[in-house]
Amino acid sequence: MRFTFLATIVAFLAASVPMGTQAQMTGTNADAAYIAKVTQAAPPAIVKGATIVEMRKDGTMRTVQSGNNGFTCMFVPPGDPMCADTNAMQWLHAYVTHTAPPASVGFVYMLAGDTGASNTDPYATGQTANNHWIKTGSHVMIVGPSAKTMAYPTTADADPTKPYVMWADTPYAHAMIPISGP
């Protein structure tokens, strides 16, 4: 799922890897292809102003595009492209480090959908008979404590075509809001 594949990248991002230790290359054909993949995650205006990062096989980060709109976008093959605002990046860092999430509200675009995840176990790495695996198409996420107050269903077997709360009985509960149309 989105977090399983992104856990490592988020840990590096949220730990604020100093820009001086990140290689930054822009304008190459590979960068253009990478940005095109990431563009699937959010509206073009968001991606255009976002910081875009790429995780290398050795675990280092490379900034593909520096941004100024508060969003960080990434793609981790075979994972899912996503763009998260600053508050969501802090929330993701808390998730990755198993610490208490911040009280702030964060927003994540995942307009290309996801490859699936347990709806009950934030740290499940694969589908099992009892971990309520769910795939959600194009969606946005609202992270932070407000997700539990939105009156969306918190059932383990949620309908991914309607808003629901994922990981409802954990500190990492977040609202999943499907988006349809272009």
Side-chain angles (χ1 to χ4, degrees):
M1 185 209 163
R2 64 200 134 267
F3 297 118
T4 302
F5 291 110
L6 298 173
T8 304
I9 194 169
V10 170
F12 283 101
L13 284 172
S16 300
V17 175
M19 288 299 288
T21 64
Q22 298 174 349
Q24 183 169 350
M25 298 176 9
T26 57
T28 67
N29 289 340
D31 287 348
Y34 186 85
I35 291 170
K37 289 179 186 178
V38 170
T39 300
Q40 300 170 23
I46 296 295
V47 178
K48 181 179 179 181
T51 296
I52 298 176
V53 296
E54 177 183 33
M55 178 69 125
R56 294 179 172 165
K57 290 181 182 179
D58 66 2
T60 60
M61 298 288 297
R62 182 173 76 88
T63 300
V64 177
Q65 169 181 296
S66 294
N68 60 8
N69 69 359
F71 278 86
T72 300
C73 301
M74 62 203 90
F75 182 85
V76 184
D80 311 308
M82 69 179 282
C83 293
D85 71 11
T86 301
N87 290 344
M89 291 303 293
Q90 292 171 2
W91 182 90
L92 289 165
H93 177 64
Y95 160 74
V96 169
T97 59
H98 298 251
T99 58
S104 57
V105 175
F107 189 84
V108 180
Y109 285 102
M110 291 191 71
L111 300 184
D114 64 48
T115 54
S118 168
N119 193 33
T120 56
D121 179 358
Y123 298 103
T125 58
Q127 184 173 4
T128 67
N130 61 355
N131 71 358
H132 306 276
W133 202 259
I134 190 168
K135 290 183 182 180
T136 305
S138 179
H139 64 280
V140 297
M141 296 184 292
I142 298 173
V143 301
S146 63
K148 290 185 177 184
T149 67
M150 295 181 164
Y152 294 143
T154 58
T155 179
D157 295 313
D159 178 349
T161 65
K162 298 175 183 172
Y164 66 97
V165 176
M166 178 170 262
W167 304 336
D169 294 326
T170 77
Y172 310 106
H174 58 283
M176 300 283 286
I177 304 170
I179 306 292
S180 62

